[in-house]
Amino acid sequence: MRVAVHVPEELSARIPVEQRGAGLDRDAVRLLLSRGCEVSHHAFMELPRLLRAGDLLVVNTSPTLAAAVDGRVGHARVVVHFSTRGDDGRWAVELRDPDGQGATRARAGGPAGLEVRLPGGVRLVLEEPLSARGDRLWWARVSGPGVLGLLREHGRPIRYSYTERDQPLSVYQTVFALPSADGTGSAEMPSAARPFTARLVAELVSRGVQFAPITLHTGVASAEAHEPPYPERFSVPEASARLINAVQAGDGRVVAVGTTAVRAVESAAGPDGVVRAREGWTDLVVAPERGVRVVDGLLTGLHEPEASHLLMLEAIAGRAAIDRSYEEALRGLYLWHEFGDVHLILP
């Protein structure tokens, strides 16, 4: 699916909402509600009254890493985006060129054997493309001190040219983020959860809305490229699997907070729709042909018309509903990207 719309540059959210005016918090974004082809406009703070007691929100607890590090190839400056750590200790990385304004632009990947010098005596050598689908991401071997220490000391959050300036890592952490046991996390923020505040979570709980935590560590998702998602590491714990199945068996609705939550729970679901505790790697692409087995609704950001995530939205709501909602989002001047407004899809 490709939505036949053009998103004007001025609809990119260039800074977080809390920096747009005094007294604003993260939840001061707008919310577009879709029920089939019926669309209505709300403030995100209205979410507790748009859900009902017995509904379940599936939330991603993955923390965001400071995954962008400056390096050099010969005398040329590059920026390395660390995407995913493999089981063999290698990292999937993307090399990008600085754009002179603090952001980066895409560059050709490779070749194999290319060496990148990083701070602290770390050297990175490209070995092979991550996928036969393209050479944007490469598996790389890193020598010297560990990558996670490098990121903590010299990294910064990944950002793209539609944002105004670098932000501290705290801006990219959601209220649900928890440190992982091995120190890994997401290269880019699971941004659908960004508007949640502790106050809003407390109100949802007081109204009988439940939460099921899962973890999926996202890789890089450059705005210039719209490949299907690469394999990502995920975990659906036993307690969350039981809770999801109980809500499915009752009158509640399972609403995923973000496409990452959809990918995780659908990866843990059998053909019978029963979710079982599972962890490992998922290469699942949720598309209309496959459909969804678990998720009834989705809270998500607004995606570029070419983005592969829109296939997932179509699988949940149908193409006509997504076309209608995106037309309304454009007409209503909703803001796109990780600091933008959000879209709630309900049955």
Side-chain angles (χ1 to χ4, degrees), residues 11-316:
L11 294 186
S12 293
R14 296 181 60 77
I15 58 174
V17 63
E18 62 270 25
Q19 297 176 14
R20 296 178 208 154
L24 295 179
D25 207 339
R26 290 183 174 209
D27 54 11
V29 296
R30 300 169 68 193
L31 185 150
L32 185 75
L33 173 60
S34 296
R35 287 190 175 98
C37 290
E38 179 184 335
V39 179
S40 55
H41 304 272
H42 304 269
F44 184 75
M45 289 179 281
E46 297 176 60
L47 181 65
R49 70 176 183 80
L50 299 175
L51 299 176
R52 61 191 188 216
D55 284 345
L56 177 68
L57 292 175
V58 181
V59 297
N60 188 357
T61 64
S62 178
T64 307
L65 300 175
V69 180
D70 293 322
R72 286 191 176 272
V73 174
H75 297 293
R77 293 177 56 221
V78 296
V79 178
V80 180
H81 287 178
F82 284 87
S83 179
T84 306
R85 185 169 70 179
D87 292 334
D88 59 1
R90 296 186 299 174
W91 279 80
V93 301
E94 180 187 17
L95 268 56
R96 295 175 66 85
D97 289 321
D99 69 355
Q101 299 177 341
T104 60
R105 56 180 177 265
R107 62 172 280 158
L114 183 73
E115 182 178 278
V116 183
R117 302 191 310 279
L118 299 173
V122 175
R123 293 184 180 269
L124 178 151
V125 178
L126 301 186
E127 292 192 346
E128 60 181 333
L130 181 65
S131 167
R133 295 197 300 261
D135 63 353
R136 184 172 64 92
L137 290 175
W138 282 67
W139 284 116
R141 189 75 62 180
V142 180
S143 62
V147 170
L148 295 174
L150 172 75
L151 300 185
R152 284 192 294 270
E153 187 156 350
H154 300 285
R156 63 184 179 276
I158 289 173
R159 82 169 180 96
Y160 297 110
S161 57
Y162 54 77
T163 57
E164 188 173 289
R165 57 181 178 268
D166 282 345
Q167 298 283 350
L169 185 59
S170 59
V171 166
Y172 291 89
Q173 301 295 6
T174 75
V175 71
F176 304 111
L178 295 172
S180 60
D182 61 359
T184 54
S186 288
E188 298 185 20
M189 171 176 57
S191 57
R194 189 182 189 279
F196 283 87
T197 61
R199 178 184 65 245
L200 189 72
V201 171
E203 183 179 352
L204 287 161
V205 171
S206 73
R207 289 174 175 260
V209 176
Q210 304 177 84
F211 290 83
I214 59 86
T215 302
L216 186 139
H217 296 317
T218 69
V220 299
S222 302
E224 298 91 340
H226 299 289
E227 310 99 318
Y230 292 100
E232 294 168 318
R233 190 183 296 278
F234 80 105
S235 172
V236 176
E238 178 66 38
S240 293
R242 288 201 305 267
L243 187 53
I244 292 167
N245 292 331
V247 169
Q248 276 192 301
D251 296 327
R253 298 170 294 187
V254 177
V255 179
V257 177
T259 57
T260 61
V262 177
R263 197 181 198 200
V265 297
E266 293 291 332
S267 296
D272 57 359
V274 175
V275 177
R276 296 170 177 85
R278 188 178 167 198
E279 62 180 29
W281 293 87
T282 177
D283 59 1
L284 176 66
V285 176
V286 179
E289 297 76 22
R290 188 262 189 192
V292 289
R293 299 168 180 170
V294 179
V295 171
D296 300 306
L298 172 63
L299 180 72
T300 185
L302 293 163
H303 302 283
E304 290 288 338
E306 300 86 4
S308 61
H309 290 310
L310 288 172
L311 291 169
M312 179 184 293
L313 272 61
E314 183 183 352
I316 295 170

